[in-house]
Amino acid sequence: MTSQPTTKVAGNGPGGPAQTGAPGGSGLQAGLKNRHLSMIAIGGVIGAGLFVGSSSGIATAGPGILLSYALVGTLVVLVMRMLGEMSAAHPSSGSFSAHADRALGPWAGFTIGWLYWFFWVVVLAVEATAGAVILEGWIPAVPQWGWALIVMVVLTATNLVSVGSYGEFEFWFAGIKVVAIAAFIVVGGLAVFGVLPGVDSEQAGLSNLTEHGGFLPNGPGAILTGVLLVVFSFMGSEIATLAAGESEDPQRAVTKSTNSIIWRIAVFYLGSIFVVVSLLPWDSESITEKGSYVAALDSLGIAHAGQIMNFIVLTSVLSCLNSGLYTASRMAFSLGERGDAPKAFARTTSRGVPRTAIIASVVFGFVAVFFNYKFPDSVFLFLVNSSGAVALFVWLVICFSQLRMRKIIQAEAPEKLVVKMWLYPYLTWATAALIVFVLGYMLTDTEHDGRRTMLLSLLVAAIVLGIAFVRERVRGGRAAAVAAPAADDASASDEVPTR
């Protein structure tokens, strides 16, 4: 591990980056290097969902799944552009939650911050279980719950050491993912065009895009269904804006990650899915039985394709776990700083680590893992479904926050607008309208549980929003009670005594 600098970075109070943490700690520190930020930005786009979830999308939309990925990818690019504009002007560990707090009000920052935290601690349980399944297959002597425990403990320890240790682990995890998917695209692409030596794959070719029922074998409507199946695999692209708050040059880091999002999505998502649907007919049984990427590697006759992909998926799972714990803890830290969570969450160690926020996040993750093993079809299923639409809620809040924040930044510090949303405000409104449309379409999806996910997510969001409004009213009442005696005292001191 590299030694960490001790530069303090700004906190994320509602008024902008001005705080350094609660008393008793030294505040977050600039422990992430440029190479860490670069790989976090690249790896954040490549989630485990890309490897394990793409098969259902291909089976639903056929080659047209490329349009589904393109549509969601465009949405992510636009949302990240808005977030980049706000985060470059005001870097913060609370990212969009802190921006929403300032632009829309404390209720918005509180609600979206806690929903986002809830999403990631549930993801911790999902990913820990997924990793445990793979590890148990390799070493069955250790039970599945044991592997889940080991994985969670190791990555918790990594995050507790320093932000630099998180960055170093994520650098290598993300690096493996990037190299693996790049190699897959190159090898698969050569096979598609028939120039890969030593491989005899008769079924590979561009003809797979139009044969077997055509490019849209299940009709244009399948594109929207495909959107619902792939949209959640893009969650994580915003992690770079949270991590930038702990880098030595946050503005440069945010600008760089925002500007590179287009090619990252084009290469890693569209590029790899294009290779999969070109190597194999979309309706091949092997895609649903083995998974899209394993089936594609098998079609090339690559030995041990399943184990190779299991290793890559495990790396993606560990990367997601590592980043999920980091992201949840930093959001909890930001909420603590703004008074929306216990103040202990905003305290940091001498190394700039929000220890309490990390421990609280991982404890909830452990509880969720327990529910997954004890009540997988009831409690845990509720947790997963009720957090499923949070990604879309976050993106929608980013849209509305940017509409207000642009005016605030222009009025206070126009020189900080180093990243600008294209065609403001029209493209922002168009993006928000598309997100609302996708949310509405989810309510009509009964085949893939979209409706249940949407209704349960709305229920949880309504509960958190209700708590936010109650807190604001209580705070307002207390402030008024404190202000009244002060006003009476001032009034009394201003009276002129009479003779």
Side-chain angles (χ1 to χ4, degrees):
M1 265 343 133
T2 55
S3 59
Q4 302 306 315
T6 56
T7 307
K8 294 182 182 179
V9 299
N12 54 317
Q19 301 170 331
T20 55
S26 58
L28 298 180
Q29 297 179 3
L32 293 176
K33 301 182 181 298
N34 288 335
R35 65 184 179 87
H36 294 154
L37 263 296
S38 297
M39 201 56 75
I40 288 170
I42 295 173
V45 180
I46 311 172
L50 174 63
F51 298 108
V52 299
S54 55
S55 56
S56 59
I58 294 173
T60 299
I65 194 65
L66 286 168
L67 297 181
S68 301
Y69 273 104
L71 186 60
V72 179
T74 301
L75 191 63
V76 173
V77 167
L78 295 174
V79 170
M80 281 299 297
R81 187 74 185 182
M82 298 177 217
L83 182 56
E85 176 182 295
M86 297 184 289
S87 295
H90 297 290
S92 163
S93 62
S95 189
F96 51 84
S97 174
H99 304 322
D101 189 297
R102 189 178 186 197
L104 304 177
W107 63 269
F110 176 93
T111 303
I112 205 63
W114 276 113
L115 285 176
Y116 190 70
W117 178 87
F118 174 59
F119 171 85
W120 278 110
V121 293
V122 172
V123 166
L124 292 181
V126 174
E127 300 297 338
T129 303
V133 170
I134 296 174
L135 289 167
E136 186 189 31
W138 291 343
I139 308 177
V142 179
Q144 200 177 112
W145 66 266
W147 280 120
L149 180 66
I150 291 171
V151 167
M152 292 273 276
V153 168
V154 169
L155 292 181
T156 299
T158 299
N159 275 264
L160 284 172
V161 173
S162 70
V163 67
S165 62
Y166 154 73
E168 198 66 29
F169 267 70
E170 189 57 23
F171 176 81
W172 293 105
F173 285 153
I176 293 172
K177 286 192 295 185
V178 169
V179 170
I181 203 165
F184 175 81
I185 292 173
V186 171
V187 173
L190 292 175
V192 169
F193 293 102
V195 293
L196 184 66
V199 171
D200 181 20
S201 180
E202 297 180 357
Q203 56 186 345
L206 297 179
S207 59
N208 284 323
L209 298 176
T210 54
E211 294 180 356
H212 311 283
F215 186 71
L216 295 172
N218 297 323
I223 297 174
L224 289 176
T225 305
V227 166
L228 302 184
L229 295 174
V230 307
V231 65
F232 307 111
S233 66
F234 282 83
M235 194 66 165
S237 54
E238 73 292 332
I239 292 176
T241 63
L242 280 84
E246 293 178 82
S247 66
E248 295 176 343
D249 190 351
Q251 189 179 75
R252 178 178 178 273
V254 170
T255 303
K256 186 176 179 180
S257 65
T258 302
N259 290 336
S260 63
I261 187 72
I262 298 176
W263 72 260
R264 286 185 275 137
I265 288 177
V267 171
F268 295 120
Y269 275 87
L270 293 178
S272 64
I273 295 297
F274 170 81
V275 168
V276 170
V277 294
S278 298
L279 284 176
L280 287 169
W282 71 272
D283 54 357
S284 172
E285 292 183 359
S286 61
I287 290 181
T288 53
E289 291 175 357
K290 303 177 182 178
S292 52
Y293 288 80
V294 172
L297 290 176
D298 270 344
S299 73
L300 299 178
I302 295 178
H304 309 295
Q307 293 303 322
I308 292 173
M309 190 51 60
N310 275 338
F311 173 74
I312 297 170
V313 171
L314 178 62
T315 302
S316 296
V317 164
L318 295 177
S319 171
C320 192
L321 258 175
N322 195 37
S323 289
L325 182 53
Y326 170 83
T327 305
S329 65
R330 267 35 176 201
M331 185 57 70
F333 170 86
S334 176
L335 289 166
E337 257 196 337
R338 287 178 274 139
D340 291 335
K343 283 293 182 184
F345 285 9
R347 296 194 185 103
T348 58
T349 66
S350 59
R351 288 177 171 265
V353 175
R355 179 187 296 161
T356 305
I358 292 175
I359 293 175
S361 300
V362 81
V363 164
F364 194 95
F366 277 126
V367 171
V369 168
F370 170 77
F371 285 146
N372 189 16
Y373 287 106
K374 197 70 176 176
F375 312 105
D377 299 323
S378 54
V379 180
F380 187 71
L381 187 61
F382 169 80
L383 292 176
V384 172
N385 284 330
S386 61
S387 64
V390 167
L392 292 168
F393 294 163
V394 167
W395 296 347
L396 192 59
V397 167
I398 289 173
C399 290
F400 290 125
S401 298
Q402 191 265 338
L403 287 169
R404 295 287 300 277
M405 278 296 288
R406 167 68 76 89
K407 297 176 182 178
I408 295 173
I409 298 170
Q410 285 178 327
E412 295 182 353
E415 71 279 1
K416 291 185 176 182
L417 279 173
V418 294
V419 176
K420 290 185 178 182
M421 176 59 183
W422 307 297
L423 297 177
Y424 169 86
Y426 309 108
L427 203 49
T428 300
W429 280 111
T431 305
L434 180 58
I435 295 172
V436 171
F437 174 77
V438 173
L439 288 169
Y441 188 76
M442 285 184 69
L443 292 172
T444 69
D445 177 42
T446 55
E447 184 180 354
H448 301 96
D449 270 351
R451 184 175 184 179
R452 178 189 294 181
T453 296
M454 187 62 202
L455 291 175
L456 289 178
S457 296
L458 284 173
L459 173 63
V460 172
I463 293 172
V464 178
L465 184 61
I467 295 172
F469 280 126
V470 169
R471 289 180 77 260
E472 278 202 45
R473 178 161 292 189
V474 171
R475 279 182 172 181
R478 288 177 180 172
V482 171
D488 291 341
D489 292 341
S491 176
S493 64
D494 289 341
E495 291 180 0
V496 178
T498 57
R499 293 182 182 179

